[in-house]
Amino acid sequence: MKKNMTIQEMWHYIIFQTKGYRTIKAAIVIGALTAAAVPYVNNIFYAGILDRLVLAEYDTAVIYVVWMVSAALVLKLAAKGCERIVAHYCKPCADEIKKRTARKAFTMEYEMIDRTETLEAFRRVRAGEIGMGGVERQLQTIYDFFRELTGIVFACGFVLVLFARTDSDKENMAVSVFLAALMIAAFAVVFVLSNHFSKKEGEVMVETALKNEHVNTLSAYLLNLINKETYVKDIRLFGLKDYLYKKTEVFRTVGRMYTEQGCYSGRCRAVPTFAAQMFAAVTYICIAAKAIAGSITIGEVTMYAGAVITMVAGVQNLLGKYHDINYMNEYLTTYETFITRPDMHYDGTLPIEKRDDNAYRLELFHVSFRYPGTDQDILKDVSMTFRVGEKLALVGMNGAGKTTLIKLLCRLYEPTEGEIRLNGINIEKYDYKEYVRIFSVVFQDFRLYDFPLDENIASGSEIDGERLARALKLAGIWERVQELPQKERTLLGHENGQGVLLSGGEAQKAAIARALYKDAPFIILDEPTAALDPIAEAEIYENFNTLIRNKTAIYISHRMSSCKFCDRIVVLGGGQILEEGNHETLLAEKGTYYRLYSAQEAYYKN
């Protein structure tokens, strides 16, 4: 568990999470001061009113009443206004944190986002937010903490004034010192007991919340699984209904967990509450003694008694808020850690030369790559050149490093050793946004978004109609699009409204159309036709040959037959280049490519 937050760290948290919203910081300070001051200001005036009434100074008492009502009204209005401001800005601040997280995800090292620990951290954040609340609640809780803390500071001032008030003629100094020591000792007992049992209660609360995180994660997954159309077929055909119902029984454990926590919390609060009542008794005895000795007036008795009792209640509330803050900070700090990560350290400044002839040459020089935190190379000392206008195929078994090589070319990963050059210059020196514009990529795990089809293809809301139609036709999906309810403007998916679900093959053709629409010098297809039959795949590749002309194309495919038309085939294995050549020369060598091709050829013949 993360160490407890200090008051300074809480204020830093507020500054960090409310960046861009200056008003909320002032509202927290003013609101804490005014809200905490209300009961103490009332106590002061109550004391004055009571004293005036005892002395039969009724006119003065009325004036005190007017001042009390006016002061209380101003303070309460200010406190209420600040409270509303804090509540109003907490939600936008929480939303802004999500936006800043998204912006950071677009600018930091891709390999850091892709790491398991990063994904797990955000899974914990989502689960924790469901159970205990997110940034919005944390800001509100810190505000409540500062309000209680300010009240305790005010109360301490009253206590100091109380024991500074003595009448040397009537009050025995030794008795006064004894009473002060008695109250301090009683308060110390209350504080120690409150802190001890509040900590124990907090530990059980944290333990319960941690257990509930798993339930929250499971419940979110189950709801998504049950309501997602892509899982319906498997659920029905494999008879998973009863199995999933059984999984939902874990929700019943939540009620038992929180019932047990509630019982334990009741026991934890009983002892400090009893101690607080005993402290109240001691307080009244001490204050009564001061009043009998003539050190304080009858009105001041109510003032000091109210201040001390308010302080004890404030301490108990403060400790409860403190433990809530520290638990939520344990998972919410993930946002701050993520957002403060450095951006891509290799984002260069050189512009990409604009060339109508698409003469961009990529070269790998002794490139090796291993994932951070591992000692196994995915690619080992790979050197190769992607020739301008060439149609090149990368083939090999799963895990050979084909997709990793493509991600290195696209600067999603950075080589562990060696370098990649574009037209003789290390790609790290190029401006990242300009560099990625020269690639149109369809990965095997591509995603279409639940937005209109034309916006998916154009990757934005500005759409060239002629260019869109051409890409859809070349991808072989134009006729299907014309059958959709709103044709190119048809919404996809169900997450953003009642859209249309494309089949696997149709979705892959749409993804290919998106790559064609971009019209970049490099076209990369990372096994995007896996859901298509061999004939449809062959038609798409033939269309690509027609379209590409002087562009450079890189294909990754497990179907050796689709590599026949390529100018060059590179066979990867174990992260290294095993063979290189065209279809005929590689078959003649009777090496790895020959074995792969022969195995598939035999499968189709049979």
Side-chain angles (χ1 to χ4, degrees):
M1 185 174 179
K2 191 180 186 294
K3 70 179 183 67
N4 293 338
M5 294 181 76
T6 64
I7 293 175
Q8 183 179 3
E9 287 172 336
M10 289 183 199
W11 185 248
H12 167 77
Y13 183 89
I14 291 172
I15 293 173
F16 178 80
Q17 303 289 19
T18 62
K19 186 177 181 180
Y21 297 93
R22 295 181 180 178
T23 307
I24 191 173
K25 301 179 186 67
I28 287 174
V29 174
I30 297 172
L33 289 170
T34 53
V38 169
Y40 299 102
V41 170
N42 285 339
N43 285 338
I44 292 172
F45 281 110
Y46 283 145
I49 293 169
L50 185 57
D51 287 339
R52 300 288 80 75
L53 290 175
V54 169
L55 297 174
E57 298 176 0
Y58 302 114
D59 292 340
T60 306
V62 170
I63 295 173
Y64 270 59
V65 170
V66 172
W67 275 106
M68 182 184 73
V69 171
S70 300
L73 179 63
V74 171
L75 289 172
K76 285 185 177 181
L77 285 176
K80 195 66 177 178
C82 290
E83 182 182 327
R84 296 301 301 166
I85 291 172
V86 171
H88 174 76
Y89 281 108
C90 279
K91 182 64 168 65
C93 285
D95 293 339
E96 183 61 30
I97 283 293
K98 304 294 178 64
K99 293 178 184 177
R100 289 162 67 187
T101 303
R103 285 194 290 268
K104 174 56 66 174
F106 296 141
T107 58
M108 69 181 294
E109 304 278 6
Y110 172 82
E111 60 194 50
M112 297 305 298
I113 302 174
D114 203 32
R115 293 179 70 169
T116 302
E117 50 266 40
T118 303
L119 301 176
E120 173 62 19
F122 279 104
R123 184 203 64 76
R124 267 217 68 205
V125 170
R126 290 191 295 271
E129 286 179 329
I130 294 172
M132 283 292 292
V135 172
E136 182 178 359
R137 180 175 172 183
Q138 181 74 316
L139 289 171
Q140 186 67 54
T141 306
I142 291 177
Y143 170 66
D144 294 339
F145 176 89
F146 281 135
R147 185 181 59 200
E148 298 290 352
L149 181 63
T150 305
I152 292 171
V153 172
F154 286 161
C156 289
F158 274 76
V159 172
L160 290 174
V161 172
L162 170 64
F163 289 104
R165 298 282 298 277
T166 59
D167 189 327
S168 56
D169 295 333
K170 299 179 180 179
E171 185 176 359
N172 187 301
M173 292 300 295
V175 173
S176 180
V177 171
F178 170 76
L179 292 175
L182 181 63
M183 276 194 65
I184 292 172
F187 178 77
V189 170
V190 172
F191 181 84
V192 170
L193 288 174
S194 296
N195 184 57
H196 173 74
F197 284 101
S198 180
K199 184 177 180 181
K200 299 291 288 184
E201 181 186 359
E203 289 173 352
V204 172
M205 180 196 72
V206 169
E207 182 182 348
T208 303
L210 288 172
K211 290 178 181 177
N212 194 40
E213 281 183 12
H214 171 69
V215 178
N216 289 334
T217 302
L218 179 60
S219 63
Y221 175 72
L222 285 173
L223 288 173
N224 180 64
L225 188 150
I226 292 169
N227 295 309
K228 200 78 170 179
E229 61 280 347
T230 51
Y231 301 114
V232 171
K233 297 188 295 295
D234 288 331
I235 292 173
R236 294 196 174 195
L237 294 176
F238 286 93
L240 296 174
K241 181 182 70 172
D242 293 337
Y243 170 75
L244 293 176
Y245 278 147
K246 188 175 181 180
K247 286 288 186 184
T248 61
E249 290 179 2
V250 71
F251 303 152
R252 298 181 184 178
T253 63
V254 177
R256 289 196 296 270
M257 283 193 305
Y258 280 102
T259 299
E260 292 172 1
Q261 181 201 332
C263 293
Y264 187 82
S265 295
R267 292 193 296 271
C268 286
R269 293 176 186 180
V271 175
T273 301
F274 177 77
Q277 294 303 314
M278 294 298 98
F279 175 71
V282 172
T283 299
Y284 290 135
I285 293 172
C286 293
I287 293 176
K290 300 285 283 185
I292 292 171
S295 298
I296 57 176
T297 65
I298 294 176
E300 289 174 334
V301 168
T302 61
M303 178 179 71
Y304 289 120
V308 173
I309 300 306
T310 301
M311 178 177 68
V312 174
V315 167
Q316 292 178 317
N317 292 334
L318 184 80
L319 292 171
K321 299 294 182 185
Y322 186 63
H323 293 302
D324 286 349
I325 289 168
N326 286 317
Y327 170 66
M328 285 188 278
N329 185 57
E330 184 185 357
Y331 58 83
L332 290 177
T333 190
T334 298
Y335 283 132
E336 184 172 355
T337 302
F338 184 82
I339 292 170
T340 54
R341 284 183 181 274
D343 291 337
M344 291 186 296
H345 70 273
Y346 57 89
D347 189 8
T349 57
L350 288 179
I352 297 293
E353 182 184 5
K354 306 299 186 293
R355 300 185 65 100
D356 295 332
D357 59 1
N358 290 325
Y360 298 98
R361 188 176 68 170
L362 275 171
E363 301 168 284
L364 277 71
F365 288 88
H366 303 287
V367 169
S368 296
F369 176 78
R370 72 180 68 95
Y371 288 99
T374 66
D375 56 5
Q376 181 180 0
D377 285 334
I378 305 301
L379 292 175
K380 303 174 185 176
D381 195 27
V382 174
S383 295
M384 61 184 299
T385 300
F386 297 89
R387 301 163 191 150
V388 177
E390 180 184 44
K391 285 47 170 194
L392 181 143
L394 292 174
V395 302
M397 302 292 287
N398 289 334
K402 304 183 295 297
T403 299
T404 300
L405 191 150
I406 296 303
K407 289 181 177 180
L408 285 168
L409 288 179
C410 296
R411 289 176 70 175
L412 294 175
Y413 295 149
E414 179 184 6
T416 306
E417 297 176 11
E419 65 178 29
I420 303 172
R421 299 175 187 171
L422 173 65
N423 291 347
I425 299 175
N426 192 319
I427 62 173
E428 294 184 2
K429 297 182 179 180
Y430 288 106
D431 178 86
Y432 178 77
K433 290 182 179 179
E434 288 206 10
Y435 179 80
V436 296
R437 288 195 186 106
I438 69 173
F439 293 98
S440 283
V441 187
V442 182
F443 287 108
Q444 55 186 320
D445 57 350
F446 70 88
R447 290 290 183 270
L448 295 178
Y449 309 106
D450 288 11
F451 298 124
L453 174 63
D454 56 355
E455 294 182 11
N456 268 275
I457 304 301
S459 299
S461 55
E462 296 182 6
I463 299 155
D464 184 325
E466 292 184 5
R467 193 168 160 189
L468 174 69
R470 182 166 177 262
L472 292 171
K473 289 175 182 177
L474 287 166
I477 196 176
W478 174 255
E479 289 76 12
R480 171 64 177 130
V481 170
Q482 300 311 301
E483 297 171 357
L484 298 176
Q486 292 179 282
K487 298 183 178 180
E488 298 93 327
R489 286 297 299 164
T490 299
L491 179 68
L492 300 184
H494 293 162
E495 298 296 327
N496 194 27
Q498 292 301 313
V500 170
L501 291 176
L502 298 179
S503 68
E506 290 167 350
Q508 286 192 317
K509 289 181 178 180
I512 292 170
R514 178 166 58 192
L516 295 174
Y517 183 95
K518 188 177 181 182
D519 195 28
F522 282 89
I523 304 289
I524 301 175
L525 302 183
D526 182 2
E527 205 172 348
T529 55
L532 303 179
D533 59 72
I535 296 175
E537 181 183 42
E539 289 176 353
I540 285 178
Y541 283 143
E542 287 173 7
N543 285 335
F544 258 87
N545 271 338
T546 303
L547 168 75
I548 288 173
R549 298 173 190 166
N550 64 337
K551 299 179 188 296
T552 303
I554 304 170
Y555 305 99
I556 296 178
S557 178
H558 280 101
R559 288 176 182 159
M560 300 301 106
S561 58
S562 60
C563 302
K564 289 182 178 180
F565 63 88
C566 290
D567 302 319
R568 182 163 54 116
I569 301 168
V570 174
V571 182
L572 291 175
Q576 296 177 307
I577 297 177
L578 301 180
E579 299 170 6
E580 189 173 351
N582 59 32
H583 178 71
E584 288 75 17
T585 58
L586 290 177
L587 285 180
E589 291 178 6
K590 294 191 175 182
T592 302
Y593 181 81
Y594 173 81
R595 290 193 296 273
L596 292 172
Y597 182 81
S598 299
Q600 291 186 1
E601 185 181 39
Y603 173 79
Y604 285 117
K605 284 181 179 180
N606 293 333

